[in-house]
mmCIF file of all heavy atoms in Angstrom:
data_model
loop_
_atom_site.group_PDB
_atom_site.id
_atom_site.type_symbol
_atom_site.label_atom_id
_atom_site.label_comp_id
_atom_site.label_asym_id
_atom_site.label_seq_id
_atom_site.Cartn_x
_atom_site.Cartn_y
_atom_site.Cartn_z
ATOM 1 N N GLU A 1 -30.086 -62.766 -9.835
ATOM 2 C CA GLU A 1 -30.433 -63.579 -11.005
ATOM 3 C C GLU A 1 -31.275 -62.789 -12.001
ATOM 4 O O GLU A 1 -32.136 -61.988 -11.629
ATOM 5 C CB GLU A 1 -31.175 -64.840 -10.560
ATOM 6 C CG GLU A 1 -30.292 -65.794 -9.750
ATOM 7 C CD GLU A 1 -31.056 -67.000 -9.242
ATOM 8 O OE1 GLU A 1 -32.302 -67.027 -9.401
ATOM 9 O OE2 GLU A 1 -30.419 -67.911 -8.681
ATOM 10 N N ASP A 2 -31.008 -63.029 -13.287
ATOM 11 C CA ASP A 2 -31.723 -62.406 -14.407
ATOM 12 C C ASP A 2 -31.549 -60.893 -14.462
ATOM 13 O O ASP A 2 -32.388 -60.175 -15.035
ATOM 14 C CB ASP A 2 -33.215 -62.769 -14.376
ATOM 15 C CG ASP A 2 -33.445 -64.256 -14.571
ATOM 16 O OD1 ASP A 2 -32.690 -64.880 -15.329
ATOM 17 O OD2 ASP A 2 -34.375 -64.808 -13.937
ATOM 18 N N THR A 3 -30.479 -60.413 -13.870
ATOM 19 C CA THR A 3 -30.047 -59.027 -14.056
ATOM 20 C C THR A 3 -28.564 -59.082 -14.406
ATOM 21 O O THR A 3 -27.954 -60.157 -14.430
ATOM 22 C CB THR A 3 -30.221 -58.179 -12.776
ATOM 23 O OG1 THR A 3 -29.208 -58.541 -11.825
ATOM 24 C CG2 THR A 3 -31.600 -58.361 -12.160
ATOM 25 N N ASN A 4 -27.973 -57.913 -14.647
ATOM 26 C CA ASN A 4 -26.523 -57.870 -14.876
ATOM 27 C C ASN A 4 -25.748 -57.551 -13.603
ATOM 28 O O ASN A 4 -24.557 -57.251 -13.658
ATOM 29 C CB ASN A 4 -26.195 -56.831 -15.948
ATOM 30 C CG ASN A 4 -26.679 -57.265 -17.321
ATOM 31 O OD1 ASN A 4 -26.870 -58.447 -17.580
ATOM 32 N ND2 ASN A 4 -26.906 -56.302 -18.205
ATOM 33 N N VAL A 5 -26.419 -57.636 -12.479
ATOM 34 C CA VAL A 5 -25.744 -57.399 -11.201
ATOM 35 C C VAL A 5 -24.994 -58.666 -10.818
ATOM 36 O O VAL A 5 -25.581 -59.636 -10.322
ATOM 37 C CB VAL A 5 -26.748 -56.984 -10.109
ATOM 38 C CG1 VAL A 5 -26.015 -56.771 -8.775
ATOM 39 C CG2 VAL A 5 -27.482 -55.708 -10.512
ATOM 40 N N ASP A 6 -23.701 -58.638 -11.091
ATOM 41 C CA ASP A 6 -22.823 -59.800 -10.880
ATOM 42 C C ASP A 6 -21.421 -59.233 -10.702
ATOM 43 O O ASP A 6 -20.588 -59.309 -11.611
ATOM 44 C CB ASP A 6 -22.922 -60.718 -12.101
ATOM 45 C CG ASP A 6 -22.218 -62.050 -11.902
ATOM 46 O OD1 ASP A 6 -21.325 -62.131 -11.025
ATOM 47 O OD2 ASP A 6 -22.544 -63.009 -12.633
ATOM 48 N N TYR A 7 -21.168 -58.647 -9.524
ATOM 49 C CA TYR A 7 -19.960 -57.837 -9.327
ATOM 50 C C TYR A 7 -19.348 -58.017 -7.944
ATOM 51 O O TYR A 7 -20.053 -58.302 -6.965
ATOM 52 C CB TYR A 7 -20.311 -56.339 -9.471
ATOM 53 C CG TYR A 7 -20.756 -55.911 -10.837
ATOM 54 C CD1 TYR A 7 -22.085 -55.596 -11.082
ATOM 55 C CD2 TYR A 7 -19.844 -55.799 -11.889
ATOM 56 C CE1 TYR A 7 -22.509 -55.174 -12.331
ATOM 57 C CE2 TYR A 7 -20.255 -55.383 -13.148
ATOM 58 C CZ TYR A 7 -21.579 -55.077 -13.364
ATOM 59 O OH TYR A 7 -21.987 -54.663 -14.610
ATOM 60 N N PRO A 8 -18.031 -57.761 -7.869
ATOM 61 C CA PRO A 8 -17.403 -57.673 -6.543
ATOM 62 C C PRO A 8 -17.864 -56.409 -5.819
ATOM 63 O O PRO A 8 -18.265 -55.424 -6.445
ATOM 64 C CB PRO A 8 -15.904 -57.617 -6.859
ATOM 65 C CG PRO A 8 -15.821 -57.113 -8.253
ATOM 66 C CD PRO A 8 -17.059 -57.591 -8.961
ATOM 67 N N ILE A 9 -17.824 -56.466 -4.497
ATOM 68 C CA ILE A 9 -18.141 -55.310 -3.653
ATOM 69 C C ILE A 9 -16.855 -54.841 -2.984
ATOM 70 O O ILE A 9 -16.082 -55.652 -2.462
ATOM 71 C CB ILE A 9 -19.185 -55.663 -2.586
ATOM 72 C CG1 ILE A 9 -20.468 -56.181 -3.237
ATOM 73 C CG2 ILE A 9 -19.492 -54.462 -1.693
ATOM 74 C CD1 ILE A 9 -21.481 -56.729 -2.254
ATOM 75 N N VAL A 10 -16.631 -53.531 -3.002
ATOM 76 C CA VAL A 10 -15.402 -52.965 -2.440
ATOM 77 C C VAL A 10 -15.738 -51.880 -1.410
ATOM 78 O O VAL A 10 -16.840 -51.344 -1.385
ATOM 79 C CB VAL A 10 -14.500 -52.356 -3.542
ATOM 80 C CG1 VAL A 10 -13.829 -53.435 -4.352
ATOM 81 C CG2 VAL A 10 -15.317 -51.430 -4.443
ATOM 82 N N GLN A 11 -14.726 -51.575 -0.593
ATOM 83 C CA GLN A 11 -14.820 -50.434 0.324
ATOM 84 C C GLN A 11 -13.435 -49.829 0.473
ATOM 85 O O GLN A 11 -12.486 -50.533 0.820
ATOM 86 C CB GLN A 11 -15.359 -50.849 1.691
ATOM 87 C CG GLN A 11 -15.563 -49.665 2.638
ATOM 88 C CD GLN A 11 -16.124 -50.081 3.996
ATOM 89 O OE1 GLN A 11 -15.463 -49.932 5.023
ATOM 90 N NE2 GLN A 11 -17.339 -50.614 4.008
ATOM 91 N N SER A 12 -13.334 -48.540 0.187
ATOM 92 C CA SER A 12 -12.044 -47.872 0.270
ATOM 93 C C SER A 12 -11.670 -47.611 1.726
ATOM 94 O O SER A 12 -12.515 -47.225 2.539
ATOM 95 C CB SER A 12 -12.080 -46.549 -0.494
ATOM 96 O OG SER A 12 -10.884 -45.822 -0.272
ATOM 97 N N ALA A 13 -10.401 -47.791 2.022
ATOM 98 C CA ALA A 13 -9.907 -47.544 3.381
ATOM 99 C C ALA A 13 -9.625 -46.071 3.623
ATOM 100 O O ALA A 13 -9.432 -45.654 4.770
ATOM 101 C CB ALA A 13 -8.647 -48.366 3.627
ATOM 102 N N VAL A 14 -9.601 -45.263 2.541
ATOM 103 C CA VAL A 14 -9.175 -43.862 2.702
ATOM 104 C C VAL A 14 -10.174 -42.835 2.169
ATOM 105 O O VAL A 14 -10.147 -41.672 2.577
ATOM 106 C CB VAL A 14 -7.807 -43.629 2.016
ATOM 107 C CG1 VAL A 14 -6.731 -44.453 2.701
ATOM 108 C CG2 VAL A 14 -7.868 -43.968 0.528
ATOM 109 N N ASP A 15 -11.071 -43.235 1.243
ATOM 110 C CA ASP A 15 -11.944 -42.256 0.601
ATOM 111 C C ASP A 15 -13.273 -42.913 0.249
ATOM 112 O O ASP A 15 -13.347 -43.769 -0.636
ATOM 113 C CB ASP A 15 -11.267 -41.705 -0.659
ATOM 114 C CG ASP A 15 -12.117 -40.688 -1.407
ATOM 115 O OD1 ASP A 15 -13.211 -40.339 -0.916
ATOM 116 O OD2 ASP A 15 -11.694 -40.253 -2.494
ATOM 117 N N ASP A 16 -14.344 -42.495 0.926
ATOM 118 C CA ASP A 16 -15.653 -43.101 0.700
ATOM 119 C C ASP A 16 -16.155 -42.939 -0.729
ATOM 120 O O ASP A 16 -17.002 -43.706 -1.187
ATOM 121 C CB ASP A 16 -16.676 -42.497 1.667
ATOM 122 C CG ASP A 16 -16.671 -43.179 3.030
ATOM 123 O OD1 ASP A 16 -16.119 -44.292 3.149
ATOM 124 O OD2 ASP A 16 -17.234 -42.599 3.981
ATOM 125 N N GLU A 17 -15.672 -41.927 -1.448
ATOM 126 C CA GLU A 17 -16.137 -41.668 -2.808
ATOM 127 C C GLU A 17 -15.202 -42.239 -3.885
ATOM 128 O O GLU A 17 -15.457 -42.070 -5.072
ATOM 129 C CB GLU A 17 -16.297 -40.160 -3.036
ATOM 130 C CG GLU A 17 -17.228 -39.471 -2.038
ATOM 131 C CD GLU A 17 -18.650 -40.025 -2.091
ATOM 132 O OE1 GLU A 17 -19.095 -40.398 -3.193
ATOM 133 O OE2 GLU A 17 -19.296 -40.089 -1.028
ATOM 134 N N PHE A 18 -14.139 -42.908 -3.468
ATOM 135 C CA PHE A 18 -13.123 -43.361 -4.424
ATOM 136 C C PHE A 18 -13.723 -44.240 -5.513
ATOM 137 O O PHE A 18 -13.459 -44.057 -6.710
ATOM 138 C CB PHE A 18 -12.019 -44.121 -3.691
ATOM 139 C CG PHE A 18 -10.929 -44.628 -4.589
ATOM 140 C CD1 PHE A 18 -9.932 -43.785 -5.057
ATOM 141 C CD2 PHE A 18 -10.899 -45.965 -4.989
ATOM 142 C CE1 PHE A 18 -8.921 -44.258 -5.898
ATOM 143 C CE2 PHE A 18 -9.898 -46.442 -5.825
ATOM 144 C CZ PHE A 18 -8.913 -45.582 -6.275
ATOM 145 N N TYR A 19 -14.550 -45.201 -5.112
ATOM 146 C CA TYR A 19 -15.064 -46.172 -6.080
ATOM 147 C C TYR A 19 -16.268 -45.662 -6.857
ATOM 148 O O TYR A 19 -16.841 -46.402 -7.655
ATOM 149 C CB TYR A 19 -15.377 -47.493 -5.381
ATOM 150 C CG TYR A 19 -14.114 -48.240 -5.012
ATOM 151 C CD1 TYR A 19 -13.705 -48.340 -3.691
ATOM 152 C CD2 TYR A 19 -13.308 -48.827 -5.998
ATOM 153 C CE1 TYR A 19 -12.537 -49.008 -3.353
ATOM 154 C CE2 TYR A 19 -12.142 -49.498 -5.669
ATOM 155 C CZ TYR A 19 -11.762 -49.590 -4.357
ATOM 156 O OH TYR A 19 -10.594 -50.248 -4.026
ATOM 157 N N LEU A 20 -16.602 -44.402 -6.657
ATOM 158 C CA LEU A 20 -17.630 -43.791 -7.497
ATOM 159 C C LEU A 20 -17.160 -43.756 -8.951
ATOM 160 O O LEU A 20 -17.967 -43.899 -9.881
ATOM 161 C CB LEU A 20 -17.911 -42.379 -6.995
ATOM 162 C CG LEU A 20 -19.176 -41.679 -7.475
ATOM 163 C CD1 LEU A 20 -20.432 -42.445 -7.062
ATOM 164 C CD2 LEU A 20 -19.224 -40.254 -6.931
ATOM 165 N N HIS A 21 -15.836 -43.597 -9.145
ATOM 166 C CA HIS A 21 -15.264 -43.550 -10.499
ATOM 167 C C HIS A 21 -13.942 -44.306 -10.589
ATOM 168 O O HIS A 21 -13.029 -43.871 -11.277
ATOM 169 C CB HIS A 21 -15.076 -42.097 -10.954
ATOM 170 C CG HIS A 21 -16.358 -41.347 -11.098
ATOM 171 N ND1 HIS A 21 -17.329 -41.684 -12.027
ATOM 172 C CD2 HIS A 21 -16.844 -40.279 -10.421
ATOM 173 C CE1 HIS A 21 -18.351 -40.862 -11.915
ATOM 174 N NE2 HIS A 21 -18.083 -39.993 -10.952
ATOM 175 N N HIS A 22 -13.857 -45.425 -9.891
ATOM 176 C CA HIS A 22 -12.673 -46.282 -10.019
ATOM 177 C C HIS A 22 -13.090 -47.742 -10.049
ATOM 178 O O HIS A 22 -14.105 -48.139 -9.458
ATOM 179 C CB HIS A 22 -11.692 -46.049 -8.863
ATOM 180 C CG HIS A 22 -10.944 -44.760 -8.980
ATOM 181 N ND1 HIS A 22 -11.465 -43.555 -8.551
ATOM 182 C CD2 HIS A 22 -9.704 -44.476 -9.497
ATOM 183 C CE1 HIS A 22 -10.592 -42.583 -8.776
ATOM 184 N NE2 HIS A 22 -9.525 -43.111 -9.358
ATOM 185 N N SER A 23 -12.291 -48.522 -10.753
ATOM 186 C CA SER A 23 -12.587 -49.926 -10.964
ATOM 187 C C SER A 23 -12.353 -50.754 -9.700
ATOM 188 O O SER A 23 -11.389 -50.523 -8.962
ATOM 189 C CB SER A 23 -11.699 -50.466 -12.093
ATOM 190 O OG SER A 23 -11.701 -51.865 -12.110
ATOM 191 N N ALA A 24 -13.227 -51.732 -9.480
ATOM 192 C CA ALA A 24 -13.016 -52.667 -8.373
ATOM 193 C C ALA A 24 -11.874 -53.626 -8.666
ATOM 194 O O ALA A 24 -11.180 -54.076 -7.755
ATOM 195 C CB ALA A 24 -14.296 -53.466 -8.110
ATOM 196 N N GLU A 25 -11.661 -53.915 -9.937
ATOM 197 C CA GLU A 25 -10.674 -54.932 -10.295
ATOM 198 C C GLU A 25 -9.237 -54.501 -9.990
ATOM 199 O O GLU A 25 -8.436 -55.289 -9.493
ATOM 200 C CB GLU A 25 -10.800 -55.302 -11.777
ATOM 201 C CG GLU A 25 -11.957 -56.232 -12.105
ATOM 202 C CD GLU A 25 -13.322 -55.572 -11.977
ATOM 203 O OE1 GLU A 25 -13.391 -54.319 -12.012
ATOM 204 O OE2 GLU A 25 -14.314 -56.307 -11.842
ATOM 205 N N ASP A 26 -8.916 -53.220 -10.285
ATOM 206 C CA ASP A 26 -7.521 -52.805 -10.111
ATOM 207 C C ASP A 26 -7.368 -51.349 -9.642
ATOM 208 O O ASP A 26 -6.267 -50.792 -9.679
ATOM 209 C CB ASP A 26 -6.742 -53.006 -11.421
ATOM 210 C CG ASP A 26 -7.348 -52.232 -12.582
ATOM 211 O OD1 ASP A 26 -8.288 -51.430 -12.355
ATOM 212 O OD2 ASP A 26 -6.902 -52.431 -13.727
ATOM 213 N N LYS A 27 -8.461 -50.715 -9.257
ATOM 214 C CA LYS A 27 -8.458 -49.333 -8.751
ATOM 215 C C LYS A 27 -8.144 -48.283 -9.817
ATOM 216 O O LYS A 27 -7.920 -47.114 -9.494
ATOM 217 C CB LYS A 27 -7.477 -49.166 -7.573
ATOM 218 C CG LYS A 27 -7.805 -49.996 -6.358
ATOM 219 C CD LYS A 27 -6.842 -49.648 -5.199
ATOM 220 C CE LYS A 27 -7.139 -50.462 -3.964
ATOM 221 N NZ LYS A 27 -6.227 -50.085 -2.846
ATOM 222 N N SER A 28 -8.145 -48.678 -11.077
ATOM 223 C CA SER A 28 -7.889 -47.698 -12.137
ATOM 224 C C SER A 28 -9.128 -46.832 -12.342
ATOM 225 O O SER A 28 -10.244 -47.210 -11.972
ATOM 226 C CB SER A 28 -7.529 -48.415 -13.444
ATOM 227 O OG SER A 28 -8.610 -49.233 -13.871
ATOM 228 N N TYR A 29 -8.930 -45.653 -12.949
ATOM 229 C CA TYR A 29 -10.072 -44.769 -13.192
ATOM 230 C C TYR A 29 -11.067 -45.448 -14.133
ATOM 231 O O TYR A 29 -10.697 -46.041 -15.140
ATOM 232 C CB TYR A 29 -9.637 -43.436 -13.814
ATOM 233 C CG TYR A 29 -10.821 -42.549 -14.112
ATOM 234 C CD1 TYR A 29 -11.403 -41.781 -13.102
ATOM 235 C CD2 TYR A 29 -11.391 -42.520 -15.390
ATOM 236 C CE1 TYR A 29 -12.513 -40.996 -13.365
ATOM 237 C CE2 TYR A 29 -12.508 -41.737 -15.656
ATOM 238 C CZ TYR A 29 -13.072 -40.981 -14.637
ATOM 239 O OH TYR A 29 -14.177 -40.210 -14.894
ATOM 240 N N LEU A 30 -12.342 -45.356 -13.770
ATOM 241 C CA LEU A 30 -13.401 -45.945 -14.582
ATOM 242 C C LEU A 30 -14.659 -45.129 -14.324
ATOM 243 O O LEU A 30 -15.125 -45.027 -13.181
ATOM 244 C CB LEU A 30 -13.632 -47.412 -14.197
ATOM 245 C CG LEU A 30 -14.628 -48.209 -15.041
ATOM 246 C CD1 LEU A 30 -14.121 -48.384 -16.478
ATOM 247 C CD2 LEU A 30 -14.891 -49.576 -14.413
ATOM 248 N N ALA A 31 -15.210 -44.534 -15.376
ATOM 249 C CA ALA A 31 -16.336 -43.616 -15.203
ATOM 250 C C ALA A 31 -17.515 -44.269 -14.486
ATOM 251 O O ALA A 31 -18.176 -43.643 -13.648
ATOM 252 C CB ALA A 31 -16.771 -43.075 -16.559
ATOM 253 N N ARG A 32 -17.791 -45.537 -14.808
ATOM 254 C CA ARG A 32 -18.953 -46.190 -14.194
ATOM 255 C C ARG A 32 -18.667 -46.710 -12.784
ATOM 256 O O ARG A 32 -19.564 -47.205 -12.100
ATOM 257 C CB ARG A 32 -19.443 -47.324 -15.082
ATOM 258 C CG ARG A 32 -18.483 -48.492 -15.247
ATOM 259 C CD ARG A 32 -19.157 -49.610 -16.029
ATOM 260 N NE ARG A 32 -18.279 -50.763 -16.191
ATOM 261 C CZ ARG A 32 -17.576 -51.030 -17.275
ATOM 262 N NH1 ARG A 32 -17.643 -50.196 -18.323
ATOM 263 N NH2 ARG A 32 -16.815 -52.099 -17.357
ATOM 264 N N GLY A 33 -17.407 -46.598 -12.370
ATOM 265 C CA GLY A 33 -17.054 -46.943 -10.998
ATOM 266 C C GLY A 33 -17.209 -48.411 -10.659
ATOM 267 O O GLY A 33 -17.005 -49.290 -11.501
ATOM 268 N N ALA A 34 -17.605 -48.675 -9.412
ATOM 269 C CA ALA A 34 -17.708 -50.043 -8.899
ATOM 270 C C ALA A 34 -18.927 -50.143 -7.996
ATOM 271 O O ALA A 34 -19.613 -49.152 -7.718
ATOM 272 C CB ALA A 34 -16.446 -50.407 -8.124
ATOM 273 N N ILE A 35 -19.205 -51.332 -7.545
ATOM 274 C CA ILE A 35 -20.237 -51.559 -6.538
ATOM 275 C C ILE A 35 -19.523 -51.464 -5.189
ATOM 276 O O ILE A 35 -18.575 -52.208 -4.928
ATOM 277 C CB ILE A 35 -20.896 -52.940 -6.713
ATOM 278 C CG1 ILE A 35 -21.444 -53.087 -8.132
ATOM 279 C CG2 ILE A 35 -21.974 -53.145 -5.667
ATOM 280 C CD1 ILE A 35 -22.429 -52.015 -8.541
ATOM 281 N N TYR A 36 -19.998 -50.554 -4.316
ATOM 282 C CA TYR A 36 -19.198 -50.286 -3.119
ATOM 283 C C TYR A 36 -20.053 -49.925 -1.909
ATOM 284 O O TYR A 36 -21.230 -49.559 -2.026
ATOM 285 C CB TYR A 36 -18.216 -49.145 -3.395
ATOM 286 C CG TYR A 36 -18.842 -47.784 -3.601
ATOM 287 C CD1 TYR A 36 -18.945 -46.867 -2.556
ATOM 288 C CD2 TYR A 36 -19.344 -47.406 -4.855
ATOM 289 C CE1 TYR A 36 -19.526 -45.620 -2.758
ATOM 290 C CE2 TYR A 36 -19.919 -46.163 -5.063
ATOM 291 C CZ TYR A 36 -20.016 -45.271 -4.005
ATOM 292 O OH TYR A 36 -20.596 -44.036 -4.203
ATOM 293 N N THR A 37 -19.433 -50.037 -0.749
ATOM 294 C CA THR A 37 -20.004 -49.551 0.507
ATOM 295 C C THR A 37 -19.087 -48.479 1.060
ATOM 296 O O THR A 37 -17.958 -48.299 0.580
ATOM 297 C CB THR A 37 -20.166 -50.674 1.542
ATOM 298 O OG1 THR A 37 -18.875 -51.227 1.845
ATOM 299 C CG2 THR A 37 -21.087 -51.768 1.034
ATOM 300 N N GLN A 38 -19.566 -47.780 2.085
ATOM 301 C CA GLN A 38 -18.764 -46.738 2.710
ATOM 302 C C GLN A 38 -18.359 -47.137 4.123
ATOM 303 O O GLN A 38 -18.882 -48.095 4.691
ATOM 304 C CB GLN A 38 -19.535 -45.417 2.705
ATOM 305 C CG GLN A 38 -19.806 -44.905 1.297
ATOM 306 C CD GLN A 38 -20.534 -43.570 1.272
ATOM 307 O OE1 GLN A 38 -21.332 -43.265 2.152
ATOM 308 N NE2 GLN A 38 -20.250 -42.767 0.256
ATOM 309 N N SER A 39 -17.434 -46.373 4.683
ATOM 310 C CA SER A 39 -16.836 -46.744 5.970
ATOM 311 C C SER A 39 -17.810 -46.695 7.141
ATOM 312 O O SER A 39 -17.518 -47.224 8.217
ATOM 313 C CB SER A 39 -15.642 -45.833 6.272
ATOM 314 O OG SER A 39 -16.036 -44.470 6.284
ATOM 315 N N CYS A 40 -18.987 -46.091 6.950
ATOM 316 C CA CYS A 40 -19.991 -46.092 8.018
ATOM 317 C C CYS A 40 -20.592 -47.475 8.219
ATOM 318 O O CYS A 40 -21.276 -47.717 9.224
ATOM 319 C CB CYS A 40 -21.085 -45.067 7.731
ATOM 320 S SG CYS A 40 -21.787 -45.160 6.069
ATOM 321 N N ASN A 41 -20.358 -48.374 7.282
ATOM 322 C CA ASN A 41 -20.801 -49.755 7.418
ATOM 323 C C ASN A 41 -19.629 -50.689 7.682
ATOM 324 O O ASN A 41 -18.556 -50.525 7.102
ATOM 325 C CB ASN A 41 -21.516 -50.237 6.152
ATOM 326 C CG ASN A 41 -22.979 -49.864 6.121
ATOM 327 O OD1 ASN A 41 -23.465 -49.299 5.146
ATOM 328 N ND2 ASN A 41 -23.717 -50.188 7.177
ATOM 329 N N HIS A 42 -19.850 -51.674 8.571
ATOM 330 C CA HIS A 42 -18.888 -52.756 8.707
ATOM 331 C C HIS A 42 -18.887 -53.582 7.406
ATOM 332 O O HIS A 42 -19.853 -53.548 6.634
ATOM 333 C CB HIS A 42 -19.245 -53.669 9.881
ATOM 334 C CG HIS A 42 -19.112 -53.008 11.225
ATOM 335 N ND1 HIS A 42 -20.169 -52.430 11.881
ATOM 336 C CD2 HIS A 42 -18.032 -52.840 12.019
ATOM 337 C CE1 HIS A 42 -19.761 -51.935 13.029
ATOM 338 N NE2 HIS A 42 -18.458 -52.161 13.140
ATOM 339 N N LYS A 43 -17.848 -54.337 7.217
ATOM 340 C CA LYS A 43 -17.746 -55.132 5.991
ATOM 341 C C LYS A 43 -18.208 -56.571 6.191
ATOM 342 O O LYS A 43 -17.888 -57.451 5.390
ATOM 343 C CB LYS A 43 -16.295 -55.111 5.479
ATOM 344 C CG LYS A 43 -15.855 -53.729 5.021
ATOM 345 C CD LYS A 43 -14.528 -53.755 4.294
ATOM 346 C CE LYS A 43 -13.381 -54.041 5.227
ATOM 347 N NZ LYS A 43 -12.075 -53.943 4.538
ATOM 348 N N ASN A 44 -18.978 -56.808 7.255
ATOM 349 C CA ASN A 44 -19.459 -58.170 7.519
ATOM 350 C C ASN A 44 -20.979 -58.292 7.412
ATOM 351 O O ASN A 44 -21.531 -59.345 7.697
ATOM 352 C CB ASN A 44 -19.008 -58.638 8.904
ATOM 353 C CG ASN A 44 -19.420 -57.682 10.006
ATOM 354 O OD1 ASN A 44 -20.260 -56.810 9.796
ATOM 355 N ND2 ASN A 44 -18.839 -57.830 11.172
ATOM 356 N N PHE A 45 -21.655 -57.204 7.005
ATOM 357 C CA PHE A 45 -23.095 -57.201 6.786
ATOM 358 C C PHE A 45 -23.882 -57.491 8.070
ATOM 359 O O PHE A 45 -24.993 -58.018 8.018
ATOM 360 C CB PHE A 45 -23.480 -58.189 5.668
ATOM 361 C CG PHE A 45 -22.787 -57.902 4.379
ATOM 362 C CD1 PHE A 45 -21.620 -58.578 4.011
ATOM 363 C CD2 PHE A 45 -23.254 -56.906 3.534
ATOM 364 C CE1 PHE A 45 -20.949 -58.283 2.835
ATOM 365 C CE2 PHE A 45 -22.594 -56.608 2.343
ATOM 366 C CZ PHE A 45 -21.444 -57.296 1.994
ATOM 367 N N ALA A 46 -23.291 -57.133 9.207
ATOM 368 C CA ALA A 46 -23.948 -57.356 10.492
ATOM 369 C C ALA A 46 -24.648 -56.116 11.027
ATOM 370 O O ALA A 46 -25.241 -56.153 12.095
ATOM 371 C CB ALA A 46 -22.916 -57.855 11.517
#
């Protein structure tokens, strides 16, 4: 709240650095990238 952090979270199945410069919406190239986690983390926040 009261920030601009309002985004989907993604995790690439093949490249931990993919979303550093790709869009979460459609995987297209995007310099600012996406909000993402890496494969060392489960995707259930446990």
Side-chain angles (χ1 to χ4, degrees):
E1 293 177 353
D2 296 325
T3 74
N4 291 337
V5 179
D6 189 339
Y7 295 108
I9 302 172
V10 286
Q11 184 179 115
S12 173
V14 296
D15 179 4
D16 276 344
E17 304 299 326
F18 180 79
Y19 287 108
L20 195 61
H21 295 296
H22 286 84
S23 165
E25 282 70 20
D26 58 7
K27 298 185 180 182
S28 62
Y29 178 81
L30 185 66
R32 65 174 181 261
I35 305 303
Y36 68 96
T37 61
Q38 296 182 328
S39 58
C40 50
N41 276 129
H42 293 96
K43 294 190 289 185
N44 55 14
F45 303 97

